[in-house]
Amino acid sequence: MELAVEKVFTKEILQEGAKRFGVTVMEEPLGDFENYIFRAEGEDRTPYVLRLTHSSHRTYKQIEAELDFLAYLGKNGAKVAAPHRSKNALFVESLQATDGTSFYISLFDYAKGERVKDVDSAVWNDTLFYAWGKAIGQLHRLTMDYPKTENRITWMEDEITVIDMLQEDKELQEIGYEVVAEIKNLPVTNHTFGLIHGDIHHKNFHYENEELTIFDFDDATYNYFAHDIAMILYYSALQKDWSEEKKVMFARHQLQVLREGYETEHILDDSVYNTLPLFMRLRDVALYGTIMKKFHGKEMPEYFQTLTNGIYKRILARKAIVEW
């Protein structure tokens, strides 16, 4: 979390947020990258996830729209971590911090199953990839009938915000704008573009009985469906220091199986799959900018230093993490 947010986040805010939803909360966060995420329990020991979002990250209405979309998906058969209303019958509660900013609190089901840890885990196989593709295809099929909302931004607004922060490196910034311009020229249709999850990598779902339960719709934006598929390939390749040849071989196979699962729910033309490296290039730019923002004014751990160095080199070379 950014330093300015850390300074105003308190135990009192956490406890009051939990009280609004009638749950008890563990004080050790499950995550704190862009939101504070905590394990919580109801009176009957039912597990939940309590999320606190700072007003510098999302507006109240943006979060309301996210949860409305999430509720719609669940109602129509998608396996997602459903949102719950507070004691005041609200999906989102607001608490003011000492500096006048706000934290927005939301409660979700704790997804059934377990996280897939990495490419070395026993379940990292074709069965998972097929289920992964099928789950994303279902979300894309459902989003085609979801009413347009003005309270979730488009991909370009989101990406330009990050690229604009890279002012200290004009070359990097210019390449970011180039990638955005290329994607902007892609055709937009109801069949290929809509409100999507935006970040379905292996840490944003739990897996059980060959099914995914997806969570963390914080990055839900109006975007090309290709983006969701590209994120799987991107984060799969990011996990290992593989040779270029091995990355390509793995990505080709993974995509083949993902597509088989995806097409049980929704069909995309071959031309859409040809754009995947472009979306992976854009993710490099976005991830680099997000990490630099997170550690601004703080010491960056060695892992993130190594990660950003690799990303930086790819961006300047105008190469995707996987190309074929």
Side-chain angles (χ1 to χ4, degrees):
M1 191 63 65
E2 295 90 341
L3 192 58
V5 178
E6 288 181 358
K7 289 180 178 178
V8 296
F9 181 70
T10 64
K11 288 184 179 180
E12 289 74 21
I13 287 175
L14 174 61
Q15 293 301 331
E16 177 59 25
K19 182 179 177 182
R20 297 275 180 99
F21 284 90
V23 296
T24 57
V25 64
M26 316 305 166
E27 292 192 353
E28 185 67 27
L30 294 171
D32 61 359
F33 194 74
E34 290 186 304
N35 299 285
Y36 286 110
I37 309 294
F38 293 87
R39 180 77 178 257
E41 285 188 351
E43 293 181 359
D44 58 354
R45 305 297 297 274
T46 300
Y48 296 100
V49 169
L50 190 75
R51 186 183 75 187
L52 295 94
T53 304
H54 191 253
S55 53
S56 63
H57 180 60
R58 301 284 183 221
T59 67
Y60 186 93
K61 286 188 175 296
Q62 285 173 342
I63 299 173
E64 271 193 321
E66 171 203 345
L67 301 193
D68 182 78
F69 179 52
L70 187 54
Y72 161 81
L73 293 172
K75 182 180 178 181
N76 285 277
K79 289 184 69 65
V80 295
H84 290 270
R85 295 188 183 274
S86 68
K87 291 182 176 180
N88 297 319
L90 299 172
F91 272 140
V92 188
E93 288 279 352
S94 178
L95 292 173
Q96 193 172 75
T98 55
D99 64 347
T101 60
S102 297
F103 283 93
Y104 304 127
I105 300 92
S106 311
L107 187 73
F108 306 86
D109 282 340
Y110 191 89
K112 293 182 179 179
E114 296 181 355
R115 272 186 176 174
V116 177
K117 298 186 184 301
D118 55 40
V119 295
D120 292 325
S121 66
V123 298
W124 194 267
N125 54 34
D126 286 0
T127 303
L128 168 65
F129 302 155
Y130 184 91
W132 207 341
K134 182 177 179 63
I136 293 176
Q138 182 186 37
L139 296 188
H140 293 174
R141 173 174 58 78
L142 291 175
T143 198
M144 290 193 296
D145 293 324
Y146 183 68
K148 181 76 167 64
T149 174
E150 299 300 323
N151 293 314
R152 294 304 296 187
I153 62 177
T154 67
W155 69 274
M156 195 162 65
E157 293 174 83
D158 213 16
E159 303 292 354
I160 290 295
T161 298
V162 176
I163 296 170
D164 283 346
M165 294 188 304
L166 301 173
Q167 296 178 358
E168 295 180 1
D169 193 321
K170 293 299 182 183
E171 184 178 7
L172 197 72
Q173 193 177 55
E174 190 60 35
I175 292 172
Y177 291 138
E178 287 176 9
V179 179
V180 167
E182 285 190 63
I183 293 176
K184 186 181 176 182
N185 286 331
L186 298 176
V188 173
T189 71
N190 186 53
H191 195 77
T192 61
F193 187 97
L195 187 58
I196 66 170
H197 182 283
D199 203 25
I200 309 183
H201 54 69
H202 64 287
K203 293 184 179 179
N204 280 339
F205 63 82
H206 283 178
Y207 185 58
E208 183 180 63
N209 298 327
E210 299 182 7
E211 286 189 320
L212 280 66
T213 300
I214 302 168
F215 48 83
D216 192 4
F217 280 72
D218 175 61
D219 285 329
T221 55
Y222 283 94
N223 203 340
Y224 297 90
F225 294 169
H227 174 92
D228 270 344
I229 300 170
M231 291 309 95
I232 301 176
L233 304 179
Y234 179 89
Y235 283 104
S236 295
L238 193 68
Q239 291 182 78
K240 291 293 180 183
D241 187 21
W242 288 331
S243 67
E244 293 295 322
E245 183 180 4
K246 185 171 182 180
K247 283 181 182 179
V248 171
M249 288 178 60
F250 178 84
R252 282 176 175 170
H253 176 75
Q254 187 182 40
L255 179 57
Q256 177 186 347
V257 182
L258 284 168
R259 187 171 178 177
E260 289 172 3
Y262 184 92
E263 290 185 346
T264 63
E265 297 281 348
H266 187 61
I267 305 293
L268 293 171
D269 291 337
D270 289 345
S271 60
V272 173
Y273 290 94
N274 293 335
T275 67
L276 296 181
L278 195 55
F279 287 94
M280 287 188 275
R281 285 183 61 196
L282 187 60
R283 178 45 58 116
D284 261 344
V285 176
L287 184 57
Y288 181 87
T290 300
I291 293 172
M292 299 307 288
K293 178 185 176 184
K294 175 181 171 60
F295 290 106
H296 182 71
K298 299 190 294 185
E299 183 178 354
M300 185 181 290
E302 184 177 350
Y303 167 78
F304 284 102
Q305 291 181 27
T306 303
L307 176 62
T308 52
N309 286 340
I311 293 173
Y312 187 81
K313 291 176 182 177
R314 281 198 302 274
I315 295 172
L316 292 186
R318 290 176 168 81
K319 292 180 61 178
I321 190 169
V322 178
E323 293 186 331
W324 57 84

